[in-house]
């Protein structure tokens, strides 16, 4: 009961409840990129679902934007310890993207233009937990933040949200991506503080 009333009376305590351990709040939106920002013209852009052997689905920008999209508001948590609450986005749910895909795979590798990649269990991409996002706070997503489109998996640390995403490869077994090979946690749950490999 005490916890419930604190949540309603104090701005600070309701915000604290949204802040994973070891994180601090920021209102700006830092840019974190491991390399140069790729510029992908929309007429060259494509997004594919593959299984390591075949391309199962392919969208160009026009057909991707014809998919039903949704707006959503989520909190972002970066492993470098900043969190940004209540960000609003528009994107296509991975539920929509994967609806027509039949697979026995349990894992996915998201690939980006510019060669970044990051692994996510397939069950973390479905059930309204992940999107291919193309608008941020009502504006087209800027190249610095991953435009034309980025993966957004906000319940995991933000390195899992591949900017400039160009496709997802479905995998039978888990494999580390870019940061995961360099010592970051294979899964990356901010609420369990899974920052580094052995956390
Ligand atoms: N393609 C690509 N995606 C990426 C990265 C990157 O270097 N390349 N950095 C990741 C990391 S570590 C973070 S914290 C977020 C940062 O997103 P932002 O620059 O929009 O804040 O993007 C993630 N996605
Ligand atoms: Mo990050």
């Amino acid at each position: 009961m005490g916890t419930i009333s604190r949540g309603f009376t104090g701005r600070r305590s309701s915000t604290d409840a949204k802040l994973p351990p070891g994180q601090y709040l920021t209102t700006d939106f830092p840019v974190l990129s491991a390399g140069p920002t790729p510029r992908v013209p929309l007429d060259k852009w494509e997004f594919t679902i593959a299984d390591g052997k075949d391309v199962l689905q392919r969208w160009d920008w026009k057909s991707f934007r014809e998919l039903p999209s949704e707006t959503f508001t989520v909190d972002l948590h970066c492993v470098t310890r900043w969190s940004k609450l209540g960000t609003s986005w528009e994107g296509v749910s991975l539920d929509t993207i994967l609806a027509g895909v039949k697979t026995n795979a349990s894992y996915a590798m998201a690939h980006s233009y510019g060669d970044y990649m990051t692994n996510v269990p397939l069950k973390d991409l479905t059930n309204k937990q992940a999107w291919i996002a193309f608008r941020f706070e009502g504006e087209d997503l800027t190249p610095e933040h991953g435009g034309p489109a980025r993966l957004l998996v906000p319940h995991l640390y933000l390195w899992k949200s591949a900017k400039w995403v160009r496709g997802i490869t479905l995998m039978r077994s888990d494999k580390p991506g870019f940061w995961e090979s360099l010592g970051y946690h294979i899964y990356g749950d901010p609420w369990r503080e899974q920052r580094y490999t052995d956390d």
Side-chain angles (χ1 to χ4, degrees):
M1 199 53 198
T3 333
I4 293 169
S5 49
R6 268 208 307 283
F8 282 111
T9 52
R11 182 154 203 247
R12 189 159 176 277
S13 49
S14 61
T15 294
D16 283 353
K18 295 182 173 177
L19 203 57
Q23 297 292 109
Y24 67 86
L25 281 180
T26 184
T27 49
D28 60 5
F29 194 176
V31 171
L32 283 109
S33 305
T37 294
R39 309 277 160 164
V40 190
L42 293 185
D43 61 356
K44 297 270 163 54
W45 185 92
E46 65 167 21
F47 181 82
T48 57
I49 303 288
D51 65 3
K53 197 159 67 81
D54 301 307
V55 171
L56 308 177
Q57 297 268 11
R58 184 190 301 273
W59 293 269
D60 60 11
W61 186 256
K62 182 169 180 292
S63 56
F64 169 71
R65 290 294 283 103
E66 283 165 0
L67 294 171
S69 65
E70 43 196 71
T71 56
F72 53 96
T73 300
V74 294
D75 302 336
L76 308 178
H77 308 297
C78 177
V79 72
T80 62
R81 298 186 182 271
W82 58 267
S83 289
K84 184 173 173 60
L85 305 184
T87 61
S88 76
W89 300 81
E90 182 178 349
V92 177
S93 168
L94 262 293
D95 294 304
T96 303
I97 300 267
L98 294 170
V101 176
K102 276 230 164 27
T103 179
N104 296 318
S106 302
Y107 297 92
M109 187 71 79
H111 294 270
S112 296
Y113 291 97
D115 278 353
Y116 186 84
M117 58 178 158
T118 186
N119 59 308
V120 185
L122 204 48
K123 69 162 176 41
D124 287 82
L125 292 182
T126 51
N127 263 312
K128 302 180 171 51
Q129 297 186 94
W131 297 266
I132 306 296
F134 52 85
R135 284 172 81 77
F136 170 71
E137 306 290 353
E139 309 275 354
D140 288 347
L141 186 57
T142 60
E144 290 72 22
H145 286 297
R150 77 182 296 170
L151 177 64
L152 212 57
V153 196
H155 69 287
L156 301 178
Y157 280 124
L158 199 56
W159 88 75
K160 297 289 185 181
S161 293
K163 304 198 282 189
W164 318 295
V165 69
R166 65 175 166 82
I168 287 175
T169 302
L170 304 171
M171 311 184 292
R172 295 290 194 103
S173 54
D174 207 1
K175 247 179 56 180
F178 176 78
W179 283 121
E180 296 84 3
S181 307
L182 294 171
Y184 280 18
H185 197 276
I186 193 77
Y187 180 63
D189 178 354
W191 294 96
R192 287 186 278 167
E193 252 197 295
Q194 294 174 336
R195 298 176 192 274
Y196 309 111
T197 304
D198 296 320
D199 288 346

